[in-house]
Amino acid sequence: MATKSDSKAWKAALPKVGIRPTIDGRRRGVRESLEDQTMNLAKAAAAFITKNLRHPSGEPVECVIAETCIGGVQEAARCAELFRKEGVGVSLTVTPCWCYGSETMDMDPLLPKAVWGFNGTERPGAVYLAAVLAAHAQKGLPAFGIYGKDVQEAGDLTIPADVQEKLLRFTKAGLAVATMRGRSYLAMGAVSMGIAGSIVNPEFFQKYLGMRNEFIDMTEFARRIEEGIYDPVEFKTALAWVKKNCPQGLDTNPKKDQKAQAKLDQEWEFVVKMTLIGRDLMLGNPRLAELGFGEEAMGRNAIASGFQGQRQWTDFYPNGDFMEAILCSSFDWNGIRQPLMVATENDSLNAVAMLLSNLMTGTAQVFADVRTFWSADAVKRVTGHKLAGQAKDGIIHLINSGAAALDGAGQMKAGGKPAMKPFWDITQADVDATLKATTWSPAVVEYFRGGGFSSTYSTQGVMPITLVRLNLVAGVGPVLQLAEGHTVELPAEVAQKLENRTNPTWPSTWFAPNLTGEGAFRDVYSVMNNWGANHGAFSYGHIGADLIAVCALLRIPVCMHNVPAEKVFRPASWAAFGTADAESADYRACAAYGPLYK
């Protein structure tokens, strides 16, 4: 997250994609005839990846190509050393020809791997692909296999559409794995209201994600506010921006519980300071060192975090809703910038769901309760309105007071349609429309005795989204579930009647999952009934296939999804665990390989 005050902060190095051009090592005619074609294939792959992929921070993905083609063990070792020096986090092997499989393969057990075997008739790239994938399977080093459907001419450097899709899917998944490695999840507080996801499990983070866990008590916020451990100049800028852009909304508290505006103004100052402090705790801030707070300036190297809030904090201090919502959004008083992943109620498992989706898309993520299934009959009974179109089979209400990024209001536009965009594509008009559609209601005191403010918006328009949740299950370990579908825009008076039955001051989204007629996606009720926890997070776009790919790399089975079978892409060895029931095979493969960092 680049801001005026932390632009020179230390940042983790971005992982690069390593391209390994492998070749038939036989000289005196064979290798020599293939050198240019093989290296040019590697260059074409690198150019395609760099052109089409960015890191969530906005920088284009860099590729490192082996200095020579790899025809045997020594060249493979040289390539591995180059990759270590260059910070490569993802390994892609490409070849148009036969090569010596186990002599040329990538043996690094932590690097996500794929092999692209060029589909041409002059040389057997497909034969090498099959041979080296068998070697990967036999050695317990799973690799994705990429092979185009149509035969190409030997000198054709065009990357077919089906190969492009798989290259991008694998590379995004691999970069996500590499980006998380060595970073931290920062728990700001402990367990919120007995929510299992906020019982932070360091073993899961370490073994499956390669991440550290950092823990602070929420009194650190009180200390930093009392001792002035934040940038006072930025605080003035932030408060002025908030007064201009964050209108105070409806106070639904009983008259006896409503506060004087002077008291509310104090709470506004408090929550703005919390926002500065929450960001500084995650990322650090060199400005604090200038102010004499060298230790606090360092931050916790956190790529995701969660704030407990309820109830030990919120029974006494203003809640964290403003902090969570602003940090999770793609803009603030410093302008348009990279969103952070901050989970309400310190739900670390939902934070991981947010993080994985963000790493796939670069977009902000919306945290929500998966709160209510509304059947068409129930909506008709309560409001008189007949659901139609995408919503005809019923809808799920996604609503929570906390970390719902303002991007989720559906006010940004792409091609004239509502969208949530990576920050580098967001315009000032997008920001202005989003802020205009959002108010900030004084917290409902029966929930938040200490006060605070909750963002209030109702998601507008129809957007493709993917709802995601990670759960830990005794005897199984982590499992991921996802549901692709669309947001639904209800008539304003209908939405208001339904929202008034819960809390009209919270951000609200109506969700219609895509149905398959089978299993958990037999109907909308079954989606709700099979959801594994009270929380979920949604991302813009249908990204289920990307999430399935990254979960395979992390050895996390996907227990529930509605992604079409032809889009599911996992390492080639998954087929050895069964092809008739892909979900069961996924469980067996993940169990057999175990967590990536075991």
Side-chain angles (χ1 to χ4, degrees), residues 128-391:
Y128 168 71
L129 177 62
V132 78
L133 290 176
H136 278 286
Q138 188 167 325
K139 293 176 180 291
L141 300 170
F144 286 76
I146 301 173
Y147 183 61
K149 293 180 179 179
D150 297 319
V151 172
Q152 295 179 256
E153 301 305 317
D156 185 3
L157 295 177
T158 303
I159 303 177
D162 60 325
V163 173
Q164 289 183 14
E165 183 178 6
K166 290 182 176 179
L167 282 175
L168 292 179
R169 182 150 294 143
F170 160 74
T171 305
K172 284 191 289 186
L175 286 170
V177 171
T179 300
M180 289 186 289
R181 187 183 306 142
R183 300 298 299 277
S184 303
Y185 174 81
L186 173 61
M188 297 181 285
V191 181
S192 174
M193 302 182 296
I195 294 171
S198 62
I199 304 173
V200 180
N201 187 316
E203 184 178 23
F204 159 69
F205 278 91
Q206 176 187 334
K207 290 187 175 180
Y208 282 90
L209 308 180
M211 290 175 59
R212 293 175 181 264
N213 291 90
E214 290 288 298
F215 300 87
I216 64 161
D217 190 276
M218 290 181 291
T219 55
E220 179 66 3
F221 281 86
R223 182 182 78 90
R224 292 195 183 202
I225 289 174
E226 185 172 329
E227 297 186 3
I229 306 176
Y230 53 85
D231 183 348
V233 175
E234 185 181 4
F235 168 66
K236 290 182 181 179
T237 300
L239 188 61
W241 182 89
V242 167
K243 289 180 178 179
K244 179 181 179 181
N245 295 288
C246 300
Q248 194 169 293
L250 178 68
D251 191 338
T252 62
N253 290 295
K255 288 290 185 182
K256 65 181 179 63
D257 293 325
Q258 293 184 6
K259 301 173 183 177
Q261 188 58 47
K263 174 63 175 174
L264 293 174
D265 289 343
Q266 291 176 355
E267 291 183 7
W268 273 117
E269 294 185 9
F270 194 95
V271 299
V272 170
K273 291 174 183 177
M274 284 182 67
T275 307
L276 299 179
I277 291 166
R279 181 203 64 200
D280 292 350
L281 282 164
M282 290 182 68
L283 305 180
N285 186 346
R287 175 74 175 126
L288 299 184
E290 297 172 6
L291 297 170
F293 304 108
E295 182 180 356
E296 291 85 350
M298 298 296 290
R300 301 297 180 118
N301 192 33
I303 196 172
S305 70
F307 181 72
Q308 175 196 332
Q310 299 187 73
R311 288 185 39 219
Q312 286 81 1
W313 180 268
T314 56
D315 279 2
F316 185 59
Y317 288 121
N319 62 27
D321 288 9
F322 180 81
M323 172 184 71
E324 295 161 5
I326 291 295
L327 292 183
C328 285
S329 299
S330 299
F331 54 85
D332 60 17
W333 41 86
N334 289 310
I336 298 167
R337 45 83 177 150
Q338 182 183 358
L340 294 180
M341 300 298 109
V342 185
T344 196
E345 293 158 356
N346 196 26
D347 187 343
S348 62
L349 299 182
N350 218 44
V352 173
M354 296 167 71
L355 176 58
L356 292 176
S357 296
N358 170 257
L359 292 172
M360 295 296 103
T361 64
T363 60
Q365 305 298 305
V366 178
F367 184 113
D369 278 354
V370 183
R371 183 164 282 235
T372 310
F373 163 66
W374 279 97
S375 68
D377 288 342
V379 172
K380 179 75 172 177
R381 174 178 58 82
V382 170
T383 69
H385 176 72
K386 182 179 180 180
L387 295 177
Q390 190 76 25

